[in-house]
Amino acid sequence: MHDEALAVVQTANAGATLHVLRLAELRYVGQGHELRVRLPPPKDGPIVRGSLEALVEGFETAYEQIYGLRIPDCDVEVVTWSVTVSTEPQAAQAVALPPSIQQRDVVSTRPVWEPALGEQRPFGLHWRFDLRTREHITGPALVAEDETTIVIPAGWVARLDEQGHLMMEVQA
């Protein structure tokens, strides 16, 4: 698993340092929920009997911290093994939210259930990719995309930041 994950990420890491995280999800036999336990890093070598014993001890320590007990003489099973290989994420960059200078006109509406009022109300319907910076949409409204629809409740306003992200705020 480790080598397969490295092979995938190394093709796109552009020379960045790779971080490897190995995890196992364990539970007492017969239980329906697992606890995630970190495995030793690859530099510590392959998983051998000693590392499995340490893994079980890590599980039982976590179990005791969460549930306040250990279950003696109960077998522990590994349900899932996982390896995550990643690079360090880039630092987030601040994005400006330019002031709005005009309300976007509503071209059409769609009836939508408004839970706060307990009834259907007409919501303005906007196509996401028609929106422009410096415009704002006042709720109640829908912003439709190919993959999703964003609901802008009554009392909220939405507008685009300089990178095209839709930002929503409660109206003052």
Side-chain angles (χ1 to χ4, degrees):
M1 285 175 62
H2 174 262
D3 293 341
E4 291 174 25
L6 277 175
V8 169
V9 177
Q10 283 176 330
T11 62
N13 74 330
T17 301
L18 297 178
H19 302 279
V20 178
L21 176 63
R22 303 188 308 176
L23 299 170
E25 293 180 355
L26 299 94
R27 66 183 179 195
Y28 284 118
V29 172
Q31 291 192 328
H33 299 285
E34 302 81 35
L35 295 179
R36 188 172 289 164
V37 178
R38 187 180 295 243
L39 290 159
K43 68 177 178 56
D44 291 353
I47 298 169
V48 295
R49 179 175 275 301
S51 48
L52 290 177
E53 290 167 356
L55 183 63
V56 169
E57 178 57 32
F59 163 77
E60 290 192 317
T61 298
Y63 194 93
E64 186 174 23
Q65 287 174 342
I66 294 169
Y67 300 109
L69 72 137
R70 293 180 183 217
I71 303 177
D73 302 320
C74 189
D75 290 335
V76 174
E77 63 183 348
V78 176
V79 178
T80 305
W81 300 95
S82 71
V83 176
T84 302
V85 179
S86 62
T87 59
E88 198 66 38
Q90 295 179 350
Q93 298 176 0
V95 177
L97 186 59
S100 174
I101 57 174
Q102 78 178 49
Q103 166 94 17
R104 176 138 188 107
D105 292 332
V106 175
V107 176
S108 64
T109 62
R110 179 168 293 162
V112 175
W113 182 258
E114 176 59 75
L117 301 174
E119 63 185 21
Q120 279 192 348
R121 298 291 299 245
F123 277 48
L125 182 58
H126 304 274
W127 180 241
R128 169 74 170 84
F129 303 104
D130 289 342
L131 304 180
R132 302 286 172 250
T133 55
R134 300 195 179 270
E135 291 181 324
H136 67 273
I137 298 170
T138 302
L142 302 173
V143 178
E145 302 182 28
D146 289 330
E147 302 84 13
T148 192
T149 299
I150 300 164
V151 177
I152 303 169
W156 286 69
V157 65
R159 56 193 170 124
L160 298 178
D161 69 17
E162 64 186 11
Q163 291 187 350
H165 304 117
L166 191 64
M167 305 293 287
M168 294 174 45
E169 302 171 306
V170 175
Q171 284 182 309

